[in-house]
């Protein structure tokens, strides 16, 4: 499902597993995330958008933030 994102398909797949595929790519009235919009436009500067998926009930969760940073470090291909 995420193969259309080229080099970043593994990164997007890992994130979609954790937050939900349709939350990223949108469905119906739910808009696309800024991360997907940037990737589709060819902009690969996505660190801030990737790390922004660290909230639960409108609060930053330190454990999720560490996980997102580590995932980005391991899976991002420059």
């Amino acid at each position: 499902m995420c193969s259309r994102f080229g080099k970043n398909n593994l990164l997007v797949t890992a994130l979609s597993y954790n937050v939900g595929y349709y939350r990223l790519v949108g469905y119906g009235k739910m808009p696309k995330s800024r991360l997907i919009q940037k990737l589709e436009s060819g902009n690969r500067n996505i660190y801030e958008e990737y790390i922004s998926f660290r909230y639960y009930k409108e609060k930053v969760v330190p454990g999720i933030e560490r996980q997102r940073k580590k995932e980005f470090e391991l899976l991002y291909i420059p």
Side-chain angles (χ1 to χ4, degrees), residues 1-23:
M1 293 185 337
C2 297
S3 62
R4 65 185 171 145
F5 300 111
K7 290 183 179 180
N8 298 43
N9 67 349
L10 189 57
L11 189 66
V12 173
T13 302
L15 186 61
S16 69
Y17 176 77
N18 290 314
V19 301
Y21 181 73
Y22 291 110
R23 182 166 177 189

Side-chain angles (χ1 to χ4, degrees), residues 24 35 39 46-47 77:
L24 289 177
L35 175 86
L39 287 175
I46 58 170
Y47 180 77
I77 300 171

Side-chain angles (χ1 to χ4, degrees), residues 23-74:
R23 182 166 177 189
L24 289 177
V25 298
Y27 182 75
K29 292 184 179 180
M30 185 182 301
K32 291 181 184 178
S33 67
R34 296 194 68 209
L35 175 86
I36 299 301
Q37 290 174 358
K38 274 189 155 183
L39 287 175
E40 288 179 343
S41 70
N43 186 352
R44 296 194 63 231
N45 186 14
I46 58 170
Y47 180 77
E48 291 299 322
E49 284 75 18
Y50 192 82
I51 301 302
S52 71
F53 288 95
R54 65 181 184 256
Y55 292 93
Y56 178 72
K57 293 187 178 179
E58 300 179 10
K59 293 183 181 178
V60 173
V61 180
I64 295 175
E65 185 174 13
R66 283 190 303 270
Q67 178 183 350
R68 295 289 177 263
K69 288 179 179 179
K70 194 62 164 179
E71 286 173 355
F72 191 84
E73 178 186 325
L74 292 172

